Amino acid sequence: MSSFETPHETERGFGLSSREVQVIGGASALMTITVALMYVFAMTPLAVVNDYLFAAPILGVIVYGAAIMGGELIAERGVKGGDMGIAFVGMVVLQLAFGVFGAGIISFAPADARVTILGITAVVTAIVTAIITGYVYARSSTFEHWGRFANFAFLGGVVVIAIGTFVLPVLLLVGFVFIFLGFLLRLGYEIWQVRDKRDASTALQTIGVYIAVAGVFVHVLQLVMRYVLSQE
């Protein structure tokens, strides 16, 4: 057992509690809406937003990063304050951020291939999520350090992409890997929160899991798109 791992406080069975089911169901519903928005937005002028933002990659990272962080903070503030109107605004910001970003990615694919690409991405993301979830639930340890590591990965990714934008373009791929790793670690952290933080708000946990899964989804989507385009 590493120095980061401490015994889990309580013993668990293999079943999921109603709270865990609510979090999973809520995050899944939010992801379904996001994927639908990606498909719809890809047929609108919003699909070209990425072209402008990622003309300088660091600009795209900063804008989308700010939108995701801002949306999360607004949604959490609304939930904590019992104001569902504010929470809804935060969720709209998050949905738009992930939806527009994903639309920009799939807009390069033929229209008749977009549903297939989104479907493949959904399956791969579900498999990745299942693997991380299985690992977290199989270990009687804390995964709080995964949250810290995720933040380091995000910051590292931003720095590397900034260098890649202005100095060494080859580093852009490294920055992509750092950001992707950050979302994978964040997903493990959020799943641990659902597993151990039983007194926490179901709504807040749902938002956390949704953001992590959506982050993984858009990165897997980029990989799937690269593969599809390479086959043409």
Side-chain angles (χ1 to χ4, degrees):
M1 182 177 291
S2 73
S3 59
F4 290 110
E5 297 176 345
T6 57
H8 188 240
E9 292 180 359
T10 58
E11 296 295 329
R12 295 181 53 89
F14 290 98
L16 295 176
S17 68
S18 60
R19 177 185 58 81
E20 289 166 316
V21 171
Q22 289 176 17
V23 171
I24 293 171
S28 298
L30 291 173
M31 271 308 306
T32 300
I33 296 172
T34 300
V35 173
L37 289 176
M38 290 178 185
Y39 180 78
V40 173
F41 288 165
M43 297 181 287
T44 72
L46 289 174
V48 302
V49 170
N50 284 5
D51 295 342
Y52 294 104
L53 292 180
F54 287 98
I58 187 60
L59 176 61
V61 171
I62 290 174
V63 170
Y64 280 114
I68 293 170
M69 289 181 61
E72 180 179 14
L73 290 174
I74 294 171
E76 289 182 347
R77 178 181 178 183
V79 172
K80 291 178 181 178
D83 190 330
M84 291 302 101
I86 293 178
F88 178 77
V89 170
M91 291 310 304
V92 169
V93 173
L94 287 170
Q95 292 279 1
L96 286 175
F98 285 117
V100 172
F101 183 56
I105 296 172
I106 64 170
S107 64
F108 292 98
D112 59 353
R114 292 172 185 172
V115 171
T116 300
I117 291 170
L118 289 170
I120 293 173
T121 302
V123 171
V124 174
T125 302
I127 292 173
V128 171
T129 301
I131 291 173
I132 293 176
T133 300
Y135 180 78
V136 170
Y137 272 77
R139 303 294 296 273
S140 296
S141 58
T142 177
F143 286 80
E144 187 170 6
H145 57 289
W146 280 34
R148 296 195 300 272
F149 291 164
N151 291 333
F152 292 146
F154 288 136
L155 290 174
V158 171
V159 171
V160 171
I161 290 174
I163 296 173
T165 299
F166 299 110
V167 182
L168 199 60
V170 70
L171 290 179
L172 293 175
L173 179 58
V174 178
F176 169 87
V177 172
F178 271 110
I179 300 294
F180 191 10
L181 177 62
F183 277 112
L184 291 172
L185 291 169
R186 170 76 184 271
L187 179 56
Y189 170 78
E190 295 295 344
I191 292 171
W192 166 71
Q193 290 268 57
V194 175
R195 188 195 76 178
D196 280 15
K197 305 297 183 179
R198 303 182 185 184
D199 296 328
S201 165
T202 299
L204 291 179
Q205 290 186 338
T206 299
I207 293 170
V209 172
Y210 161 68
I211 292 173
V213 172
V216 171
F217 184 96
V218 294
H219 281 77
V220 172
L221 181 60
Q222 293 176 72
L223 296 175
V224 173
M225 271 296 301
R226 285 178 180 272
Y227 173 77
V228 170
L229 294 179
S230 70
Q231 300 303 303
E232 295 183 351

